[in-house]
Amino acid sequence: MLEVNSHKHLKKYYQNNLALWPHNLTLTRLISRSLSRKDNTFIQLSSDSKNFWWPGLLIPLCLHNNNIVLILSERQHRLLFEVELPKLRSSRLGFDYVEGIELIPSDKKIWVLRYQDLIFANEKDLLKNRQLIFLESEFISNELRESMSIKITPKDWENLIASHSHFEASIIEVHERLNRILFSHSISSDAVIRIDHRELLALKEILKDDLPSAMPWKRALNVVNNEWVTWAKVDNRKLSWDWYMQPLLPLQPLSGLLSKNALLMLNNSGQSDSSFLDLNKKQFTFNIRVNLGNKFDQEPTPLFVPKRQPLPNTSHFYRHIIRQCQRLILGRSRPTIVLVDDLQLRLQITSELAGEFGLRVVHETTNIETNGIICCSCNWWIINQYNLPTPDQLIFPVIPLPTLESPWIAAKVEMLKHQGRDWFREFLFPETLTTLLKSLAIIRGKDVRVAILDGRMHYRSWGKLIFEALEPWVTLERLLPY
C-alpha cells in the first residue's frame, strides 16, 4: 500500500516540478519496501542522479515515518531544509520531524540528526529499534571521523590549569615538554607534527583523582586510546599550537548499532563496496542491493589523458603540468577547475597560472569571473560545486591519492601495515576512487572535459582501474583550437 500511495504522490509532485531523473519511481518503490519491511537496503545511484533523487526518498518518508532516523551531513542538511522541503510543501505533503537531540521524538516522527548528534544518541542508547537512513553513505566514515574529532587550544590549557590549580605545576610540565618537542621538530610556519597518544595518558595519570568535567578535556581523557591518532598544528609566528585527535576506526563505536538496526543506505560515488570494508570485516550484509541506472547509458565524459606523460617523482613533472594547464586553459569561455590536494603544490600552481592569466586565477573562492580559473582541493570542490556555474573543464595535475603527510592517513596506513593488510588496495586506492568520482558527479552528462596529467594513469597497473571507474568516457587525443 505504501508503494502505491508513494507512486501517486510522486506523479503529483512531477506535475509541479521538473522530473529530471528517470529512476525516481523505482527508487520510491524500493524505499517504500525497505521502510515497510525494515530491510537492510543498499541502493547505488547512478552518477547522473545528482540531487534529483530527493523526491524518491522524501515522499515515502512523509507517508511512513515509523521509527525513522535520517542522518545528514551539513551540506545535506542545508539541501533538505532550504531546497527540498519547500518544494515538497508545494505538493501538500507534510514532513513531520524532530531535529537534534534536545527532544527525543515519538515513534511517529522522523528524527533528523547530524553526525555529531548520531554519536551522542548512540552513546545514550537512544536509537533502539529505529531504522537508520544514510545519504551519500560512501562518506559515513569520513563524516564520523570529523564529527568525533577533538581540538584542544591554548585557551583550553589555561582553563584546565585554572580549574585544577592544585595540579598546576604538573600540567605546566607536560605542556612545556610538548612545547619543546613540537618547536624543535617544526620546520615550517604551519607544521603538522604527530604526538604520541601516551602524552594524553600521562596527563590523565596526573589528573586521575579529579578528571575534568568540561569539554574538550573530558572527552579527550575518556575516549582517546591507541586506536586514535593525535597531532599538533604549530603556528611558529604566534609560538602556539593546537592539539587534534581523531579515531583511526570511526565506524567501530557504531558497529553494534549498525549491526542491530535496520539500515537504508544511498550511495552516490559509484564504488558500492570500498566504503564498507570495516563493516564487511564484521560480516555485515545487506538483504537488498540495487544499482539504479546504467552508467553506460549516460553521456560519455571527454577525457584527456595523453600517453607518455612524466611521473610525479621526475624532475620535469612540475614544468610539464604547468605547460599542460596553460594549454588547456587557453581560449576557454567558461570556468576551469584545477584540483590539487597537496597545499604546497596547489599554491605553486596558483601562482604560476596567475602570472599567465592574471586576476582570472583565484584560490578556493566562489567569486570568479565568467572564464575564471579556480585552484582548489577536491574536497573544497565537492562541497562548493553547487554554488558555482558549470565549468568548461576539470584539470587534475596529479591523481588525488591521500597524502601520507596527513597524520590520520599516515597512522591508518601504519595500522594496516602492522596487520599485514594491503594498505594501498584496501585504503588509499578506494579513497582515491571515491574522491575522483565524487568530483566528477556534477559534470556528468554535460559538455565538460576532464584532464588528468599524471603519468601513473598509463604506467601503473591501478591506472587501468581508474579508467574503468570513470566510464563512460571518450578519449580526447589532442586539444583542438576554438
Side-chain angles (χ1 to χ4, degrees):
M1 195 64 181
L2 177 59
E3 294 180 39
V4 173
N5 289 336
S6 296
H7 267 203
K8 289 180 180 178
H9 281 281
L10 186 64
K11 289 175 181 177
K12 290 181 182 178
Y13 177 91
Y14 278 174
Q15 293 173 2
N16 300 323
N17 300 274
L18 290 175
L20 297 176
W21 193 51
H23 303 291
N24 252 328
L25 285 171
T26 304
L27 178 62
T28 301
R29 179 173 60 82
L30 290 169
I31 290 175
S32 299
R33 174 190 172 101
S34 178
L35 296 177
S36 300
R37 298 176 49 171
K38 301 295 182 184
D39 288 325
N40 282 344
T41 304
F42 181 91
I43 302 175
Q44 174 65 54
L45 304 177
S46 59
S47 57
D48 63 341
S49 64
K50 300 183 176 62
N51 285 319
F52 305 135
W53 50 265
W54 279 94
L57 168 68
L58 294 178
I59 288 173
L61 288 181
C62 291
L63 301 174
H64 181 93
N65 51 14
N66 185 24
N67 276 331
I68 300 297
V69 181
L70 182 61
I71 298 104
L72 304 173
S73 66
E74 291 297 330
R75 188 185 69 81
Q76 293 159 1
H77 188 273
R78 289 195 301 271
L79 277 173
L80 174 65
F81 287 99
E82 295 176 12
V83 179
E84 300 302 331
L85 287 188
K87 291 195 293 188
L88 201 64
R89 292 188 192 102
S90 68
S91 301
R92 297 180 180 178
L93 279 169
F95 187 76
D96 197 5
Y97 71 95
V98 170
E99 187 181 359
I101 54 178
E102 288 76 18
L103 179 64
I104 302 173
S106 68
D107 295 347
K108 298 299 182 182
K109 288 182 181 288
I110 300 165
W111 198 1
V112 178
L113 297 179
R114 291 176 169 89
Y115 277 86
Q116 285 180 325
D117 299 330
L118 172 69
I119 294 164
F120 180 85
N122 181 54
E123 290 174 351
K124 299 298 182 183
D125 201 22
L126 303 176
L127 299 170
K128 281 185 178 179
N129 304 318
R130 296 182 185 268
Q131 186 168 17
L132 309 180
I133 301 178
F134 291 90
L135 314 182
E136 295 181 336
S137 58
E138 64 271 30
F139 290 111
I140 289 178
S141 184
N142 289 339
E143 292 288 348
L144 286 172
R145 175 165 54 87
E146 292 298 327
S147 297
M148 296 167 72
S149 297
I150 301 170
K151 178 182 178 182
I152 294 175
T153 66
K155 183 64 176 177
D156 294 317
W157 283 96
E158 293 174 12
N159 293 339
L160 181 65
I161 292 170
S163 62
H164 294 72
S165 56
H166 45 297
F167 294 119
E168 179 176 351
S170 298
I171 296 171
I172 290 175
E173 182 182 346
V174 172
H175 186 267
E176 288 302 315
R177 184 174 70 251
L178 288 172
N179 260 343
R180 290 192 297 272
I181 293 171
L182 294 174
F183 286 107
S184 66
H185 288 83
S186 177
I187 58 175
S188 64
S189 60
D190 54 354
V192 176
I193 302 170
R194 286 271 293 276
I195 298 178
D196 195 313
H197 80 282
R198 285 174 292 190
E199 296 290 352
L200 197 64
L201 297 181
L203 191 58
K204 186 175 182 178
E205 182 64 24
I206 293 169
L207 303 171
K208 62 182 178 181
D209 297 323
D210 187 17
L211 290 178
S213 58
M215 296 297 185
W217 287 110
K218 178 183 177 181
R219 193 154 169 268
L221 293 170
N222 283 326
V223 305
V224 174
N225 54 38
N226 60 356
E227 293 183 345
W228 283 61
V229 58
T230 78
W231 72 92
K233 283 188 178 179
V234 180
D235 188 336
N236 278 310
R237 289 161 294 194
K238 295 181 180 179
L239 294 178
S240 66
W241 50 278
D242 295 328
W243 198 353
Y244 293 84
M245 306 165 194
Q246 286 187 342
L248 287 172
L249 301 171
L251 279 167
Q252 194 170 65
L254 294 183
S255 58
L257 176 71
L258 297 178
S259 61
K260 293 176 183 176
N261 289 51
L263 303 180
L264 170 57
M265 295 187 172
L266 303 184
N267 185 296
N268 296 77
S269 74
Q271 294 302 110
S272 58
D273 292 322
S274 63
S275 305
F276 298 99
L277 290 172
D278 293 305
L279 290 174
N280 289 335
K281 295 294 180 184
K282 300 179 185 301
Q283 307 302 314
F284 180 85
T285 57
F286 291 101
N287 303 113
I288 298 173
R289 281 179 173 267
V290 179
N291 289 329
L292 278 187
N294 184 348
K295 68 179 183 178
F296 295 103
D297 292 335
Q298 301 165 29
E299 194 70 25
T301 299
L303 184 61
F304 179 67
V305 189
K307 295 180 179 178
R308 294 184 294 278
Q309 294 190 114
L311 298 173
N313 59 353
T314 57
S315 59
H316 51 286
F317 177 75
Y318 177 71
R319 294 316 311 171
H320 162 77
I321 60 175
I322 293 299
R323 287 195 301 271
Q324 286 283 35
C325 285
Q326 291 170 342
R327 291 179 62 221
L328 286 160
I329 292 168
L330 281 173
R332 308 309 293 185
S333 58
R334 288 183 292 153
T336 291
I337 313 296
V338 182
L339 296 135
V340 186
D341 282 343
D342 182 276
L343 176 60
Q344 191 60 40
L345 178 60
R346 185 168 70 247
L347 292 177
Q348 288 178 309
I349 292 174
T350 304
S351 178
E352 292 268 7
L353 294 180
E356 179 75 18
F357 299 103
L359 296 178
R360 289 172 57 191
V361 182
V362 296
H363 181 259
E364 295 194 345
T365 177
T366 56
N367 185 20
I368 61 170
E369 298 180 16
T370 305
N371 60 346
I373 302 154
I374 303 177
C375 297
C376 61
S377 67
C378 293
N379 188 56
W380 186 92
W381 163 245
I382 290 168
I383 292 171
N384 292 279
Q385 56 189 333
Y386 298 101
N387 301 321
L388 291 162
T390 301
D392 247 352
Q393 59 187 342
L394 302 184
I395 302 175
F396 294 87
V398 291
I399 296 168
L401 285 163
T403 174
L404 294 179
E405 292 181 4
S406 161
W408 185 81
I409 297 293
K412 185 71 178 282
V413 168
E414 288 173 12
M415 183 191 74
L416 294 174
K417 283 182 178 178
H418 182 71
Q419 296 172 355
R421 292 160 63 181
D422 188 340
W423 52 272
F424 182 80
R425 298 265 176 188
E426 283 192 32
F427 175 52
L428 291 190
F429 187 67
E431 288 281 316
T432 303
L433 285 186
T434 296
T435 299
L436 274 171
L437 293 171
K438 201 64 183 173
S439 299
L440 268 57
I442 196 173
I443 58 97
R444 290 285 189 181
K446 300 178 181 178
D447 186 22
V448 180
R449 71 184 182 190
V450 175
I452 303 178
L453 309 177
D454 192 325
R456 291 174 293 184
M457 286 290 288
H458 289 290
Y459 298 134
R460 296 289 183 265
S461 59
W462 44 265
K464 181 181 178 182
L465 300 177
I466 295 179
F467 278 117
E468 292 174 358
L470 296 181
E471 291 175 339
W473 50 268
V474 59
T475 303
L476 284 178
E477 296 289 353
R478 59 183 62 85
L479 301 178
L480 301 176
Y482 271 80

